Amino acid sequence: MGQPMEGGNKQSGLFRKKSITDMIASTKKGNTLRKELTSFDLTLLGIGAIIGTGVFVLTGEGALMAGPGLILSFILAGLACAFSAFAYAEFSSTVPVSGSAYTYSYATLGEFLAWIIGWDLILEYMLAVSGVSAGWSGYFKALLAGFGIDIPVALSSAPGGIEGTTTFFNLPAFMIVMALTALISLGVKQSKRVNNILVILKVLVVLAVIGVGVFYVKPDNWTPFLPEGFSGVSQAAALVFFAFIGFDAVSSAAEETRNPSKDLPRGILYSLGVCLILYILINLVLMGIVPFKDFAGHTDSPVAYAMSVAGQDWFAGLVSIGAILGITTVMLVMLYGQTRIVYAMSRDGLLPSFFSKVHKKFRTPFSSTWVVGTASALLGGFVPLGELASLVNLGTLAAFVMISIAVVVLRKTQPDLERKFRCPGVPYIPALAVIFCVYLMSQLKWETWARFLIWLGIGLVLYFVYARKHSKLNEE
């Protein structure tokens, strides 16, 4: 099948690779993860990760940049993500192993780059969970306030999180992450049931906004369609690109999927397609209800504002519920993805073996799930993340670039490898993904890059001190 390094796998050098055959074989040894997920479950997993507060927040800010042409911005951003999604889909059908971009890089670009991307993903997912938990806390407090229940200010934000106010701990943020940690530790069947229910409810909220709002659309509000020209559309595309990230977490579910070679590509591409359609529809409606300039001063809640303009103030509560559901599923999927990446890195010897032990009853990496979940919960409870959240975007883009390059490398090095799904237009589609992602990375602040490089520096020390010495590739 064109797979090198069969059998004896002892190698040296920074770019030593793990054979795909050995990777797949390792998923069948010992106490394995339980296979429960179908293409439907994976599609909802992807939608759960993608649709968060973005659909309820980014529209207002994007409208001021692009006007009604914001629809084109979402299409451009969706296509950019699709370029990378095709590469993920090919890898997921070819290498049905937990670990997502880390595992794919290990098979194609070598251990050193795989460690870097794995270390990067650990930070990305942890900050995504912790940062989003703070947003969830805000919506949850507002919802409780509507019922006359107030959480003490000191326990409603991380220290320094509210300027001029003494705060000690974000209790709601901590509690929701710990609750999701407990759910994930009990098994993928329980997690998928909760995710599926929440995602369906979340999509129904979005459809309700579209269904009600369409009756208040004034086509005149769609003109001028491109008030700032195409430059406004491209600037807004860079912003709304981040409303699409999250589909990559689907690939981390490879070992818990019943038919990974077929179901994983479907889950990745279907979820991205569904979200793109929903984004286009909801933006058409919102741009049709409100003249785009009127979103100034309402960028934090554009959907609620549009419904208020339409005379449907009761929708504000529904939007808050939709946001809470949206953020909950984002945390659930990101936390799930992080535990599986840590599990894969541990199984390869790059992290302590403790992290890859599978619970005999629940068939999950039980102990590592609690360690990772507790760390994320404490981070969300004690640290006001603020600017650190942009590290999530940089980490995601770095992973997209790596995988887009890796899919071309694998085509060249192992052309005869069986691929149930093939990325179209290789090498052009992956090249477009790299170009677009590198451009977006260049738009991030230097402070974000500095923090990212510091994290990578810590990772390099750990690689040479521990991971390289304990790698399973040292064994014959």
Side-chain angles (χ1 to χ4, degrees):
M1 297 296 292
Q3 298 171 356
M5 303 176 297
E6 306 298 336
N9 214 14
K10 187 174 182 178
Q11 303 175 66
S12 60
L14 291 177
F15 301 101
R16 53 189 180 179
K17 302 176 180 68
K18 192 168 184 180
S19 86
I20 293 173
T21 298
D22 287 350
M23 283 184 172
I24 296 174
S26 69
T27 68
K28 301 174 182 177
K29 296 177 181 177
N31 202 15
T32 59
L33 303 178
R34 180 177 282 116
K35 294 184 180 294
E36 289 282 352
L37 304 175
T38 65
S39 58
F40 176 76
D41 298 322
L42 293 169
T43 300
L44 293 190
L45 201 69
I47 295 173
I50 296 170
I51 300 183
T53 53
V55 70
F56 299 105
V57 176
L58 290 178
T59 297
E61 194 173 342
L64 297 177
M65 294 180 178
L70 181 63
I71 290 92
L72 296 180
S73 302
F74 270 93
I75 292 173
L76 284 175
L79 287 175
C81 277
F83 296 151
S84 298
F86 282 126
Y88 271 92
E90 175 168 324
F91 268 115
S92 66
S93 74
T94 310
V95 192
V97 179
S98 290
S100 188
Y102 156 75
T103 297
Y104 307 151
S105 298
Y106 210 158
T108 53
L109 304 177
E111 183 178 273
F112 180 66
L113 292 178
W115 166 265
I116 288 177
I117 207 64
W119 185 245
D120 159 42
L121 289 174
I122 290 173
L123 176 69
E124 174 198 337
Y125 285 150
M126 182 173 290
L127 287 179
V129 173
S130 304
V132 169
S133 70
W136 186 94
S137 176
Y139 278 103
F140 184 68
K141 285 182 292 184
L143 188 64
L144 289 182
F147 293 99
I149 303 172
D150 293 316
I151 297 175
V153 175
L155 296 177
S156 63
S157 183
I162 302 177
E163 190 174 348
T165 304
T166 301
T167 54
F168 300 104
F169 189 62
N170 194 330
L171 183 61
F174 176 81
M175 294 301 294
I176 184 60
V177 176
M178 292 306 293
L180 294 175
T181 299
L183 176 64
I184 293 171
S185 71
L186 294 178
V188 70
K189 178 183 285 188
Q190 291 78 2
S191 300
K192 80 168 185 178
R193 284 174 178 169
V194 172
N195 181 72
N196 290 355
I197 292 170
L198 295 182
V199 168
I200 290 171
L201 291 173
K202 173 170 62 175
V203 171
L204 286 176
V205 171
V206 175
L207 291 175
V209 172
I210 296 169
V212 172
V214 71
F215 294 103
Y216 299 91
V217 167
K218 297 177 181 178
D220 288 347
N221 289 333
W222 290 334
T223 56
F225 190 67
L226 299 175
E228 302 298 328
F230 197 75
S231 63
V233 171
S234 61
Q235 288 176 8
L239 171 73
V240 302
F241 172 85
F242 304 118
F244 288 95
I245 62 176
F247 67 84
D248 52 310
V250 174
S251 60
S252 64
E255 291 178 40
E256 288 153 293
T257 301
R258 293 176 185 174
N259 189 351
S261 296
K262 291 183 178 180
D263 291 343
L264 281 170
R266 290 172 181 169
I268 291 169
L269 298 175
Y270 290 174
S271 61
L272 193 59
V274 168
C275 292
L276 176 58
I277 292 170
L278 289 175
Y279 284 165
I280 292 172
L281 291 176
I282 197 169
N283 279 284
L284 277 171
V285 169
L286 297 180
M287 296 297 105
I289 295 175
V290 181
F292 72 93
K293 292 182 180 179
D294 291 356
F295 280 110
H298 301 281
T299 54
D300 58 337
S301 55
V303 178
Y305 173 66
M307 291 296 103
S308 177
V309 170
Q312 303 296 318
D313 291 297
W314 63 276
F315 248 79
L318 189 63
V319 170
S320 292
I321 293 173
I324 289 174
L325 294 174
I327 299 173
T328 302
T329 59
V330 170
M331 287 188 289
L332 176 62
V333 177
M334 292 300 185
L335 186 57
Y336 169 83
Q338 185 186 20
T339 62
R340 273 39 180 186
I341 289 169
V342 169
Y343 166 77
M345 295 177 73
S346 170
R347 188 171 57 190
D348 292 334
L350 304 187
L351 292 175
S353 59
F354 163 84
F355 290 103
S356 54
K357 291 182 179 178
V358 176
H359 195 282
K360 291 183 179 180
K361 179 181 178 181
F362 302 129
R363 303 275 291 278
T364 62
F366 188 84
S367 300
S368 66
T369 297
W370 278 101
V371 171
V372 168
T374 302
S376 298
L378 290 172
L379 191 63
F382 281 112
V383 182
L385 297 174
E387 287 290 319
L388 291 179
S390 58
L391 277 171
V392 176
N393 301 333
L394 182 53
T396 301
L397 290 164
F400 285 4
V401 168
M402 196 79 80
I403 294 309
S404 298
I405 294 172
V407 77
V408 178
V409 171
L410 192 63
R411 286 284 188 95
K412 295 291 185 182
T413 57
Q414 300 189 50
D416 299 327
L417 191 66
E418 183 181 4
R419 294 168 170 85
K420 296 291 179 63
F421 178 90
R422 298 178 71 88
C423 173
V426 172
Y428 306 108
I429 293 295
L432 286 171
V434 171
I435 291 169
F436 202 97
C437 291
V438 169
Y439 168 74
L440 291 175
M441 291 169 75
S442 71
Q443 302 303 300
L444 295 171
K445 297 178 181 179
W446 71 266
E447 293 95 339
T448 300
W449 276 97
R451 293 172 182 130
F452 183 68
L453 293 175
I454 289 171
W455 177 256
L456 287 186
I458 296 171
L460 290 179
V461 172
L462 290 177
Y463 176 72
F464 288 107
V465 170
Y466 180 89
R468 182 170 167 77
K469 296 178 181 178
H470 292 82
S471 170
K472 292 293 178 67
L473 291 186
N474 293 328
E475 303 172 2
E476 293 190 9

